Every structure is written in structure tokens, then in C-alpha cells.
Amino acid sequence: MPNPRLTGRGGGLFCGVLMFVSGCLDALLFGSSTTVYGVLFLPVCALTAGWTSKAELVTAPVVVPLAFAVGLLPVADGNNGADGQLMGFVTALATEAGWLYGGTLIAGVVVAVRRVRMVRRRRRA
């Protein structure tokens, strides 16, 4: 299994690009299903938190909600025009907050577990 170590910016870029591509594929293949998008978001959160470097673990739970919003752009339904698109985006953020909170929680738990393991290793050494 690959074991990359992403910086804070790299983790944000990784998560943001992956969620934008997921959102585009969801819009293309599943007709902008927010449930499919939410399900795809959860493993991306775990990967981002698992692959962030030890020195920048705190960034993982911060970048995943931003990536959720970036990827939601192609999925959010909106009428023509900037106002309609903005309303569709805000509505999608509000109605899909459960996925957002769940993914952020997953990233937080992965980071916390990694941090506890790091502290235990230091104490043993």
C-alpha cells in the first residue's frame, strides 16, 4: 500500500482535486446525486488524514471541509445565472451537512489516532 506523506498544502490540493473530479464524475454518471458524492467523500477524508505528514497532522481536518465545498460545485443543482448557481450551492451545503460533518469527523479521528500512536512511540524511546 502506498505511504505518501503530504504537506498541509499538498493534502489540501490532493483532497480538493480528488473531490472536484469526484463531483464531475458524479454529475456525469449519476446525475448529480449528492448521496453518491457524500459516500465518495468519506474515503477521501480518511486517505487525506492518513497520508498527511506527522508535522502537519492538524491541517487534515481543516482541508476536508474546504475540499467538500470545492467538489460540490459541479454537483449542486442551480438555475441558470450566477444567483441560481449560488443558491443551489448554498442549499446543497446545507442539506448535505451530515456528509460534511461525517467526513470531518473521520479525518479528526484518524489524526487523533495517529497522534496518540506518535506520542506512545516517543515515550517508549
Side-chain angles (χ1 to χ4, degrees), residues 7-63:
T7 63
R9 288 182 185 160
L13 186 63
F14 167 77
C15 193
V17 167
L18 206 55
M19 287 316 302
F20 186 75
V21 169
S22 296
C24 290
L25 288 175
D26 177 26
L28 183 67
L29 299 175
F30 299 105
S32 297
S33 170
T34 53
T35 303
V36 171
Y37 178 75
V39 169
L40 293 173
F41 176 64
L42 300 179
V44 171
C45 292
L47 285 175
T48 302
W51 288 349
T52 302
S53 68
K54 294 176 185 177
E56 299 185 18
L57 278 176
V58 166
T59 62
V62 174
V63 299

Side-chain angles (χ1 to χ4, degrees), residues 69-80:
V70 168
L72 198 59
L73 289 171
V75 176
D77 290 329
N79 298 332
N80 293 338

